[in-house]
Amino acid sequence: MLVLGIESTAHTFGVGIVSDEPRILADARYNYVPKVGGIHPREAAESFISNAPRVLSEALRSAGISIESVDAVAVALGPGLGPCLRIGATVARVLAVYYSKPLVPVNHAVAHIEIGKMLTGARDPLVVYISGGNTVIAALYGGRYRVFGETLDIALGNFMDTLARELGIAPPYVVEGVHALDRCAEGGRYIEMPYVVKGQDTSYSGLLTAALRVYRSGARLEDVCFSAREVAYSSLVEVAERGLSQLGKREILLVGGVAASRYLVEKFEVMARYREVELYVTPPKYAVDNGVMIAWTGLLLYKHGVTVEPERAYVRQRWRLDSVDVYW
Amino acid sequence: MIALTCTGRVLRVIYLGAEALVAEGEFLGYEAVFKLRLRKPYRVPELDREIIRRRTLTEARLLLALRELGVRVPAVLYVDPVEGLIVMEKVRGRTILSAASSLSRDELCSAMSKVGVELAKMHKGGVAHGDVTTANMVLTDSSDVYLVDLGLAKHAEDLEDLAVDVHLLIRVLESSHYAVKDEMFKCFLGGYREVLGEDLTRAILEKVREIRLRGRYVEERRLRSRTT
């Protein structure tokens, strides 16, 4: 079985093709990189329009197949930025209708988790999903990924990007796999910052404000970066540890773009070691947004008969992880 | 660790939590629980020391304050903030998390209603629990409910801190008790409203809704933005 998957929730327009062996046959991507500031949704969407045909044909070419031999077309319908989502959805609907292929609706968050599980071999993990738009601790219970903790305000990746931008050290946010905040934290010393854990939830907006205030009152840049990072990462590891303890899970799986931060991974390694649990980290290449994860999750869904009529395949900007039924 | 050796007895570790080691033993002739906050090697030492010291002190102070208010929480016997140690009275019973599946509907409802009463007394006294999970609710053999693990408790600065407690409860019901969550919450609310009164309860529930809408990817938020 071959499934083609389309990702376009934020800054990446990706087309992946997978088979059920499982094998990754194609992984084509276009990344929108803003010149200044963060993602401008309309600009991102416009750049997707001009790059979508190229990315699609590149995927088919590298897989060495024609679109006719695909069994289903999967698409990330949410959560994400509306203008960006609509490009992927439009391309997918067109392919499904024109080539008479079943259309499979995929939740982007579920896809991050499923590709992580497939690539790492994690079986029943506590999932820590961390990216620019998400900070979620979840686990599969009763047919859904239940959310055990999440950020009460901004996501960890959003916090890191915004702080880096306000400190004047980004964009670019990530260079050679290292985030600007991690880079600037080198040689920093700890100064006190607000550490917020509310039950199983984290919060980063107060930390962002405090870090900027401390910087503007004359603290050294590296100390601000170091302290803000330490507090942000540590509070995440703490809520993950709480989740492990509450659920009695023996595995942790890190998914999402921020899982590429090796400083964060190091903290999780320390915790996993003394708690004697297995830590699985999605390889950075597939931890960030990509079409392969949509194709793979689409394949799982399609095997369980989940499809959507093209005329009903609306995008859902706020499609929550815990509202999706998981059949496998 | 001095207090641990003072007793001259071997402590029995009963629980290794995310934050602390909990052991049972005897303290000055009382059956006691020893809660020792553990150093977290993933945190820089300065941050770790400060978190442990602050949380230990806050927990002990609040436990005392809550006893004065008549809330069912364990009595404090000894505190060492630098070591992160609190020795407290042992509450005999089972957690609601572990007992829920073996309780009848009525028993579970009655227990949740008592949770509501205790949490409301706490809230009335201006204290937020901060970690409202069913693992932190102990149902005693005489069917009283004690709220334990005040490790994240604090003096509430505003309604929101109290509402976060209710939000956390909803979260844990949705995840760990999803099959009976509505029923459990209804029973909780009965006891809660009884102590706190209709107006305050309604204000807190409205705040809970607000907190939920502030979260990421909430479907209801789309409706709100349409009307404004």
Side-chain angles (χ1 to χ4, degrees), chain A residues 87-109:
Chain A
I87 309 307
T90 305
V91 173
R93 285 188 295 244
V94 167
L95 293 177
V97 172
Y98 192 83
Y99 294 101
S100 307
K101 301 291 181 189
L103 185 60
V104 184
V106 175
N107 177 289
H108 177 86

Side-chain angles (χ1 to χ4, degrees), chain B residues 63-116:
Chain B
L63 281 168
L64 284 174
L66 290 168
R67 292 285 290 194
E68 281 182 25
L69 290 168
V71 184
R72 287 200 169 88
V73 294
V76 177
L77 304 174
Y78 182 88
V79 186
D80 184 339
V82 177
E83 290 295 339
L85 176 72
I86 300 179
V87 183
M88 60 193 116
E89 159 203 20
K90 175 173 165 51
V91 179
R92 291 184 161 279
R94 291 183 297 166
T95 68
I96 291 190
L97 177 66
S98 61
S101 55
S102 60
L103 294 177
S104 71
R105 269 174 90 129
D106 287 352
E107 285 168 335
L108 185 58
C109 185
S110 152
M112 285 311 292
S113 163
K114 285 173 184 166
V115 170

Side-chain angles (χ1 to χ4, degrees), chain A residues 71-83:
Chain A
D71 292 285
V73 174
V75 60
L77 288 180
L81 304 170

Side-chain angles (χ1 to χ4, degrees), chain B residues 199-217:
Chain B
D199 291 351
L200 201 48
T201 303
R202 194 180 305 145
I204 285 173
L205 289 178
E206 179 50 38
K207 207 74 191 169
V208 170
R209 203 179 103 82
E210 209 182 298
I211 292 168
R212 219 175 161 75
L213 291 178
R214 211 184 297 147
R216 308 289 302 178
Y217 310 124

Side-chain angles (χ1 to χ4, degrees), chain B residues 148-168:
Chain B
V148 300
D149 197 354
L150 281 274
L152 289 175
K154 61 173 189 172
H155 284 289
E157 284 158 29
D158 48 32
L159 217 51
E160 165 139 357
D161 286 337
L162 304 180
V164 166
D165 273 354
V166 180
H167 170 73
L168 293 174

Side-chain angles (χ1 to χ4, degrees), chain A residues 238 242, chain B residues 19-21 34-39 43 47-64 76-88 149-154:
Chain A
E238 183 181 347
R242 283 171 173 272
Chain B
E19 194 184 6
L21 180 149
F34 294 71
K35 176 172 177 177
L36 182 67
R37 283 191 158 72
L38 302 170
R39 301 208 168 91
R43 289 198 287 239
L47 173 62
D48 197 48
R49 269 197 299 273
E50 182 53 25
I51 289 171
I52 288 175
R53 192 189 66 85
R54 204 173 54 212
R55 286 184 182 170
T56 305
L57 267 183
T58 309
E59 178 172 0
R61 284 185 185 133
L62 287 172
L63 281 168
L64 284 174
V76 177
L77 304 174
Y78 182 88
V79 186
D80 184 339
V82 177
E83 290 295 339
L85 176 72
I86 300 179
V87 183
M88 60 193 116
D149 197 354
L150 281 274
L152 289 175
K154 61 173 189 172

Side-chain angles (χ1 to χ4, degrees), chain A residues 9 18 46-47 52 62 72 76 93 95 125 130 136 153 187 201 209 213 218 235 312:
Chain A
T9 59
V18 299
E46 280 169 1
S47 74
S62 72
R93 285 188 295 244
L95 293 177
I130 35 182
V136 169
D153 37 64
D201 291 336
T209 311
R213 194 178 53 231
S235 63
R312 295 179 55 109

